[in-house]
Amino acid sequence: MGKQLAKIISIIFHPVLIPTLGMFLLLNSGFYFELLLWEAKRFVLLVVFFTTCILPMLSVAILSLNPNFNVNMPNNRDRVIPLLSASVFYYLGFILLKKVQAVPEFKVFMLASVLVLVALLVISLKWKISNHMAAIGGLAGTLFALSFRHGINPIYSILIVVLLSGLIGTARLILGKHSLLELIAGYGLGFSVLYLVIYFA
């Protein structure tokens, strides 16, 4: 994999996009909420996209007005404020998704994601753990938890997420953004928190 391809993969599967892509995948993976009306699915996708992508990107855009802020966030402490604001936006998504009472897993997904963001924030004070891998790891944990909880085997969705996990991790290594340990730690954090919260909620 060349650096140009690695950059494209890192952008397409950026942490602010993975929740929306993941929710779209979940809505088409054979779980019972696949039967939701299109209006309900659209509401869920819009809420997730707005609170996990648009608002976090706006907050980073505002921070970038400060000449001392590096939008690439090369240092771990540069990510503290963006992670803090993102956790607030995710919690807003949790509140909004309470309206879809027929599918409690959606709001639990958002709440568990808040926990991951808070953990990333705390860890980032000392260590540059991978946000990319935490995001895709969280999606993998969600799929496995729902699969075991409902007795459904969404094999194609799981294969897609496992493949993406490898691609994203490889891309981050090639770009020199993280060490292998930082990638594994991020993936493990996202996977374990989402799996445990969704499975036992």
Side-chain angles (χ1 to χ4, degrees), residues 67-141:
N68 295 322
F69 178 77
N70 188 337
V71 70
N72 293 317
M73 293 176 270
N75 301 315
N76 51 343
R77 288 182 177 269
D78 293 335
R79 304 187 298 171
V80 171
I81 295 178
L83 285 171
L84 180 60
S85 60
S87 64
V88 173
F89 300 142
Y90 273 60
Y91 188 74
L92 173 62
F94 162 73
I95 294 173
L96 292 174
L97 288 181
K98 282 185 175 181
K99 294 183 179 181
V100 190
Q101 297 179 355
V103 190
E105 287 90 345
F106 292 161
K107 64 179 182 181
V108 173
F109 170 81
M110 295 299 289
L111 187 59
S113 297
V114 172
L115 297 178
V116 172
L117 286 169
V118 172
L120 287 172
L121 190 158
V122 174
I123 295 171
S124 291
L125 294 173
K126 295 291 184 181
W127 194 34
K128 193 182 178 184
I129 191 171
S130 175
N131 290 351
H132 276 77
M133 294 308 290
I136 193 65
L139 178 56

